[in-house]
Amino acid sequence: METVKVIKIGGNIIDNEEALTAFIKDFSTITGPKVLVHGGGKLATKLAAKMNIPVNMNEGRRITDADTLDIITMVYAGKINKNIVAQLQANNCNAVGFSGADGNTIVSEKRPVNSIDYGFVGDVKNVNTNVLEILLNNEITPVFCAITHNKNGQLLNTNADTIASELAIGLSSIFNTELYYCFEKNGVLEDVEDDDSVIENINTESYKTLKDNHIIFEGMLPKLDNCFHAINKNVQKVCIGKSDMLFKTNNKHTTITQ
Amino acid sequence: METVKVIKIGGNIIDNEEALTAFIKDFSTITGPKVLVHGGGKLATKLAAKMNIPVNMNEGRRITDADTLDIITMVYAGKINKNIVAQLQANNCNAVGFSGADGNTIVSEKRPVNSIDYGFVGDVKNVNTNVLEILLNNEITPVFCAITHNKNGQLLNTNADTIASELAIGLSSIFNTELYYCFEKNGVLEDVEDDDSVIENINTESYKTLKDNHIIFEGMLPKLDNCFHAINKNVQKVCIGKSDMLFKTNNKHTTITQ
């Protein structure tokens, strides 16, 4: 069984032209099947401001109304995705940009309205890997933005970390699958102010203790939940850290195990 | 040899939600390999206005500066392309959205600056059909927006009619290829005011006469040049008319022959 790497990058790379160029150059050197998932960074917020479209928040959560969905689709699937694909091609990495609608790869359903109506936000229902399998077996690299669809013609906004874990889980029935969350820190930190305080391994048991003792920065919890979701669903390896962990040996990072 | 249909739609369909929904429903019923190419319609101009980005014209031609390229990428590759793909999926047509950067399918070069600097406009250099062939042979429908790349990381704006003819020419080495330009008229008209005055066949000789006698509306000439380019380069069938020509028998349209 071949190994596929699913690699997610976030704002610290996407919003920094130099960092993105360097990352894409490194990413292109990875041999074997690979999938790139990118978040949206700050561009969507900037575009909304330019167009005088208000950012709707409810209890600290962004609401995706129709205008915001349009902006996200334009920025994530258009500007960011196509520029990444073009840069990968320049580095001889044959890439094809994807949303979850393309190839019907990620079907989601609009989050039900309970106390909050999140608008056009999709929770992943199922992942179809047949198109991805064809491409990966032909040395073509899918590049995913964080947009899904409901199979009834509606695009939906889905968290990029979730897209990465669901794709990894989906692909794990065909490939040995490794999932890498790249972000601005060296990993999960014991002290959020100290980038050297990396917790090198977290398993289900220690995760519970770390949570109970409020040691992990709260913003990390959804990402870690995605990690455990993946490692409990057949993904072989899950890591969090700077993208250096992929390209440099001995680069500190956090590995998630069952 | 199987037959592939390359179908280009323009503003009259893209800008009209009802027309687009109806077209996509019909398009999804086409059996056999097919490629959809869409223009941009009026959305890009509207977005530019909303963002106070001026439309730069030079001698009646739009100049694609960096801001305009961003808008085009967002609207064409993002909003329009992904919404079409999602609607195709809703009709059980398994589609994947493409720009020329995806799969390195269409490489162009920035138009040289002579009397006019058109900005980020790309003239097609070559078409790579290997990814398209893989998808088409797996009953997956590529959906192209009118964006190409220069293989050095730069996206470029390319005319959608040109994209359609170049894709058809490229695919003609693998498939019997048919090219359909769908627009708001029944075909090439003798009298632009009379939609019944369709010229049902135009060949190289009659085209010259029609041009010399200024019978054809001038705006049609670039489209017709694309048609003759295709028919002279191995494309088996080239038609211009309303999209009805694809779905209704006896629907008047113009056929281009050598």
Side-chain angles (χ1 to χ4, degrees):
Chain A
M1 227 187 202
E2 252 195 310
T3 298
V4 64
K5 288 184 165 74
V6 177
I7 298 167
K8 190 259 169 174
I9 56 171
N12 68 310
I13 294 179
I14 294 162
D15 290 332
N16 179 333
E17 207 180 304
E18 230 169 272
L20 182 60
T21 303
F23 171 81
I24 285 176
K25 207 177 153 187
D26 286 338
F27 177 85
S28 302
T29 66
I30 297 173
T31 54
K34 52 191 183 285
V35 177
L36 183 60
V37 179
H38 61 84
K42 290 177 189 149
L43 265 171
T45 310
K46 277 188 198 163
L47 181 62
K50 255 195 199 168
M51 292 173 65
N52 293 315
I53 291 171
V55 173
N56 285 315
M57 306 288 278
N58 188 325
E59 298 185 9
R61 303 253 195 168
R62 182 198 286 246
I63 307 301
T64 306
D65 59 14
D67 282 340
T68 305
L69 181 68
D70 267 358
I71 285 180
I72 283 171
T73 307
M74 293 195 294
V75 172
Y76 296 4
K79 182 168 170 164
I80 297 175
N81 192 270
K82 294 309 160 195
N83 275 295
I84 289 177
V85 168
Q87 285 196 50
L88 286 167
Q89 295 292 356
N91 285 279
N92 294 315
C93 172
N94 196 0
V96 172
F98 271 81
S99 72
D102 299 280
N104 194 28
T105 39
I106 311 175
V107 181
S108 64
E109 58 190 343
K110 195 168 172 295
R111 187 168 298 169
V113 179
N114 292 319
S115 58
I116 302 178
D117 181 357
Y118 288 96
F120 294 103
V121 166
D123 295 317
V124 175
K125 242 172 65 184
N126 60 288
V127 171
N128 300 309
T129 53
N130 58 327
V131 177
L132 300 180
E133 190 179 1
I134 293 166
L135 294 181
L136 290 167
N137 285 334
N138 282 282
E139 292 174 42
I140 298 155
T141 298
V143 177
F144 272 85
C145 65
I147 292 169
T148 55
H149 77 138
N150 71 349
K151 191 71 170 73
N152 285 312
Q154 180 64 56
L155 297 169
L156 293 164
N157 181 15
T158 298
N159 178 276
D161 285 350
T162 304
I163 299 249
S165 64
E166 294 290 350
L167 282 174
I169 293 166
L171 289 167
S172 70
S173 62
I174 317 165
F175 297 97
N176 271 314
T177 306
E178 300 178 355
L179 173 61
Y180 297 88
Y181 285 112
C182 305
F183 77 141
E184 67 277 14
K185 306 277 182 190
N186 270 326
V188 184
L189 304 177
E190 263 189 87
D191 172 4
V192 74
E193 303 294 321
D194 177 6
D195 205 24
D196 280 333
S197 67
V198 176
I199 309 172
E200 297 198 24
N201 184 278
I202 304 179
N203 60 26
T204 309
E205 209 186 314
S206 66
Y207 183 41
K208 194 180 174 309
T209 312
L210 288 163
K211 273 201 292 191
D212 288 347
N213 297 321
H214 306 285
I215 289 171
I216 301 173
F217 180 64
E218 212 178 321
M220 283 299 293
L221 299 182
K223 197 184 284 291
L224 279 163
D225 289 341
N226 272 308
C227 291
F228 279 101
H229 181 50
I231 204 78
N232 287 323
K233 289 252 191 183
N234 211 25
V235 176
Q236 262 79 22
K237 192 175 171 182
V238 179
C239 300
I240 306 179
K242 291 201 173 115
S243 60
D244 286 345
M245 68 179 158
L246 287 156
F247 313 115
K248 294 180 184 167
T249 46
N250 299 325
N251 203 277
K252 263 194 185 178
H253 60 268
T254 302
T255 302
I256 307 297
T257 52
Q258 280 186 307
Chain B
M1 227 187 201
E2 253 195 310
T3 298
V4 63
K5 288 183 164 76
V6 177
I7 298 167
K8 189 258 169 174
I9 55 171
N12 69 308
I13 294 178
I14 295 163
D15 289 332
N16 178 334
E17 206 179 304
E18 231 169 272
L20 182 61
T21 303
F23 171 80
I24 285 175
K25 207 177 154 186
D26 286 338
F27 177 86
S28 300
T29 66
I30 297 173
T31 53
K34 53 191 182 285
V35 177
L36 183 60
V37 179
H38 61 83
K42 290 178 190 148
L43 265 170
T45 310
K46 276 187 199 163
L47 181 62
K50 255 194 200 168
M51 292 173 65
N52 294 316
I53 291 171
V55 172
N56 285 315
M57 304 289 278
N58 189 325
E59 297 184 10
R61 303 253 193 168
R62 182 199 287 246
I63 307 300
T64 307
D65 58 14
D67 282 341
T68 305
L69 180 69
D70 268 0
I71 285 180
I72 283 170
T73 307
M74 293 195 294
V75 172
Y76 296 5
K79 180 166 172 166
I80 297 175
N81 192 270
K82 294 310 160 197
N83 274 296
I84 289 177
V85 168
Q87 284 196 50
L88 287 168
Q89 296 291 356
N91 285 278
N92 294 315
C93 172
N94 197 359
V96 172
F98 270 81
S99 72
D102 299 281
N104 193 29
T105 38
I106 311 176
V107 181
S108 64
E109 57 190 345
K110 195 169 172 292
R111 187 168 298 168
V113 178
N114 292 321
S115 57
I116 302 179
D117 181 358
Y118 289 98
F120 295 103
V121 166
D123 295 317
V124 175
K125 242 171 68 183
N126 60 289
V127 171
N128 301 309
T129 52
N130 59 325
V131 177
L132 300 181
E133 190 180 1
I134 293 166
L135 294 181
L136 290 168
N137 285 334
N138 283 281
E139 292 175 41
I140 298 154
T141 298
V143 177
F144 271 85
C145 65
I147 291 168
T148 55
H149 77 138
N150 71 350
K151 191 73 171 70
N152 285 313
Q154 180 64 56
L155 297 169
L156 292 164
N157 180 16
T158 297
N159 177 277
D161 285 351
T162 304
I163 300 248
S165 64
E166 294 291 349
L167 282 173
I169 293 165
L171 289 167
S172 70
S173 62
I174 317 165
F175 297 96
N176 271 314
T177 305
E178 300 178 354
L179 173 61
Y180 297 87
Y181 284 113
C182 304
F183 77 141
E184 67 278 13
K185 306 277 183 189
N186 270 327
V188 183
L189 304 177
E190 263 189 87
D191 172 3
V192 74
E193 303 294 322
D194 177 8
D195 205 24
D196 281 332
S197 68
V198 176
I199 309 171
E200 296 198 25
N201 184 279
I202 305 179
N203 62 26
T204 309
E205 209 186 314
S206 65
Y207 184 40
K208 194 178 176 309
T209 312
L210 288 164
K211 272 200 293 192
D212 288 348
N213 297 321
H214 305 284
I215 290 170
I216 301 173
F217 179 64
E218 212 178 322
M220 283 299 293
L221 298 182
K223 198 184 283 291
L224 279 162
D225 289 339
N226 271 309
C227 290
F228 279 101
H229 181 50
I231 204 79
N232 288 322
K233 289 253 191 182
N234 211 26
V235 176
Q236 261 79 23
K237 191 175 172 184
V238 179
C239 300
I240 306 179
K242 290 202 173 114
S243 60
D244 286 345
M245 69 180 158
L246 286 156
F247 313 115
K248 292 181 185 167
T249 46
N250 299 324
N251 203 278
K252 263 195 187 177
H253 60 269
T254 302
T255 301
I256 308 297
T257 52
Q258 279 186 308

